Amino acid sequence: MKTFVLSTLSEEDVIRLEKDCNLAVRLQPDAGRIDPRALMDGDQAAYLLRDLTDRLGSPSLYVTASLLLKQYSYCLLMPTLYAMTLLDKGLKVEADNCLLEVTFPGDGAWRARLHLKDREVSSPEGSDRATWREGLVEAVFRNHLAKVIRTVSRVSGLSPTVLWENASIYFYWMYEAYMPGKVGEDKRSRIAEDFHFLLSAHPSLFGERKNPLKRFFCEKCCLPGCDQPVRIRKTCCLYCEIGDGQLCQTCPKRRCR
């Protein structure tokens, strides 16, 4: 039974997603573009990783793979989950409806934004939001992000565990810090509800044997030099292998006190 209605993303929502989630409403003519379908194809993904390695001055393909999935996960999950939880809107995030706009300002830096070709959205019909939500989670994770992670891992040699944790840290930040700061107390129950659902969702919605969001979730702890407790990663994101070599605040190479 159909549990959603279709409409077009309103101009108000477009502006909000552009402002709060860095959605690329209009593509910059001089920017590069990555088709997600290329990252699901071994040969094309390998070519893109080699090209990005050269542009960023990265020491290896597996370091580049980690950097790529950090950006990619953020760009894909940020507007998708924000729209689902705060707007009750389901974005069309099928690979053939997305483009990743990329720019290289210099000094090894790069920026990326998600662009949607079609702004059609779904909304839950009646009280069956749970079924609608499951469909959205499956669309963004199992049918999109998981396919990119599997391909990038295979061609780079980097464990998919690292790539899934790269995605998970943005998910935790969005639901624990970012989205609660965007709404009043009366709307935070929906954020908590969706956060709990995603942490406990069946692994099949992610295309994995275990729920990757739950896998990396743990209590925060205090570290020297940190004003607030942090959640220590289980894997190193390899950012320390570029630039000045400094460790991230959440790097597992640090120790809780």
Side-chain angles (χ1 to χ4, degrees):
M1 181 180 296
K2 185 177 178 181
T3 59
F4 59 87
V5 293
L6 298 177
S7 61
T8 301
L9 200 62
S10 70
E11 192 60 32
E12 179 182 353
D13 288 341
V14 168
I15 293 173
R16 188 170 173 181
L17 289 171
E18 182 179 32
K19 176 178 178 290
D20 289 351
C21 304
N22 204 31
L23 187 71
V25 177
R26 297 173 185 82
L27 290 169
Q28 302 178 53
D30 58 342
R33 300 171 190 181
I34 296 177
D35 189 322
R37 291 170 295 185
L39 292 174
M40 299 176 186
D41 176 86
D43 291 339
Q44 294 185 71
Y47 173 82
L48 287 170
L49 279 175
R50 289 193 297 268
D51 181 64
L52 192 56
T53 296
D54 292 339
R55 289 176 180 270
L56 300 180
S58 172
S60 65
L61 284 184
Y62 64 83
V63 172
T64 305
S66 183
L67 296 175
L68 171 62
L69 258 297
K70 273 190 167 185
Q71 285 272 21
Y72 197 91
S73 299
Y74 175 85
C75 292
L76 178 64
L77 298 181
M78 186 71 170
T80 304
L81 298 181
Y82 181 105
M84 180 186 80
T85 296
L86 297 188
L87 306 179
D88 255 357
K89 301 291 174 61
L91 304 180
K92 286 186 65 175
V93 290
E94 292 86 349
D96 61 0
N97 192 51
C98 299
L99 284 174
L100 195 68
E101 177 195 82
V102 293
T103 55
F104 300 90
D107 296 326
W110 69 305
R111 302 288 182 270
R113 300 191 301 167
L114 180 71
H115 173 75
L116 300 176
K117 302 173 188 176
D118 184 349
R119 296 182 191 172
E120 183 181 77
V121 294
S122 64
S123 300
E125 185 174 44
S127 60
D128 198 5
R129 185 176 186 272
T131 302
W132 169 81
R133 180 177 58 189
E134 279 193 5
L136 287 180
V137 172
E138 184 174 34
V140 70
F141 285 103
R142 179 188 179 93
N143 298 336
H144 191 146
L145 186 59
K147 293 180 179 180
V148 171
I149 286 178
R150 280 194 292 270
T151 306
V152 170
S153 172
R154 185 175 71 251
V155 301
S156 68
L158 182 63
S159 169
T161 303
V162 177
L163 304 181
W164 272 115
E165 188 163 24
N166 286 355
S168 297
I169 59 172
Y170 288 122
F171 160 70
Y172 305 145
W173 170 75
M174 284 182 63
Y175 279 88
E176 292 180 320
Y178 188 71
M179 286 197 286
K182 292 292 181 180
V183 298
E185 190 67 36
D186 57 322
K187 294 184 179 180
R188 290 178 184 169
S189 60
R190 172 59 56 80
I191 297 173
E193 177 189 328
D194 283 356
F195 185 51
H196 174 74
F197 166 75
L198 283 157
L199 283 176
S200 59
H202 195 276
S204 63
L205 294 181
F206 301 90
E208 294 288 303
R209 291 192 295 177
K210 294 182 179 180
N211 179 329
L213 302 181
K214 180 180 180 180
R215 178 178 183 181
F216 304 107
F217 189 71
C218 62
E219 293 297 321
K220 296 181 179 180
C221 64
C222 295
L223 291 176
C226 294
D227 296 331
Q228 300 292 330
V230 296
R231 179 174 292 111
I232 302 298
R233 289 180 59 118
K234 291 179 169 57
T235 66
C236 176
C237 73
L238 306 176
Y239 184 75
C240 57
E241 296 199 18
I242 63 174
D244 57 11
Q246 287 190 353
L247 299 177
C248 302
Q249 284 190 341
T250 58
C251 184
K253 295 177 182 178
R254 293 175 179 264
R255 293 291 180 266
C256 293
R257 63 186 181 192

